[in-house]
Amino acid sequence: MTFRENLHYLMDCKGIQIKELSAMTGISENTIKSYLKENSAEPAISKAVLIADALNVSVDFLATGRENAKEKTPVTEFVEVVSLLKDFSASHLKIILALAKALKQNS
């Protein structure tokens, strides 16, 4: 995922509006809006650090969607899987667990 996508995702998850993030970071609302636009430039590292600190995530997560650059699976995918699992019945969860175990054995 891109910086823009991760920033959108985090702001949505945490219920933070542009105005709030601006107040938390000292970065102007217009600058934050520019980071959220499609095909926008990514922020300077100093601004990325301010945003990451305000959202309580690493700069790696903001930049890549992973908690660290060596991680293979983005944290956002784990969050999405877990949020989907809560809607399954117990019998479906058993099937999903069996499938996950089988996939792990084959990897």
Side-chain angles (χ1 to χ4, degrees):
M1 293 176 71
T2 65
F3 179 92
R4 180 186 65 82
E5 292 168 327
N6 293 325
L7 181 57
H8 267 291
Y9 171 80
L10 288 165
M11 289 176 68
D12 287 345
C13 285
K14 295 175 182 272
I16 295 174
Q17 301 297 314
I18 292 169
K19 186 175 187 171
E20 293 173 87
L21 187 58
S22 174
M24 294 164 74
T25 60
I27 299 170
S28 76
E29 290 180 42
N30 285 337
T31 300
I32 293 171
K33 285 178 190 175
S34 74
Y35 299 151
L36 294 167
K37 289 182 182 173
E38 193 130 352
N39 299 320
S40 63
E42 292 186 356
I45 192 69
S46 59
K47 299 231 190 262
V49 168
L50 291 172
I51 294 169
D53 286 347
L55 296 174
N56 198 30
V57 297
S58 68
V59 175
D60 276 346
F61 185 84
L62 261 180
T64 66
R66 297 182 303 252
E67 205 42 53
N68 66 58
K70 294 178 182 174
E71 205 174 277
K72 292 181 181 177
T73 307
V75 172
T76 52
E77 289 179 5
F78 284 116
V79 171
E80 185 175 359
V81 167
V82 170
S83 71
L84 290 171
L85 289 175
K86 69 181 175 24
D87 296 327
F88 284 97
S89 67
S91 60
H92 284 138
L93 287 173
K94 286 180 183 178
I95 294 167
I96 293 167
L97 180 59
L99 176 62
K101 286 179 179 179
L103 288 170
K104 182 173 177 151
Q105 286 179 342
N106 290 331
S107 62

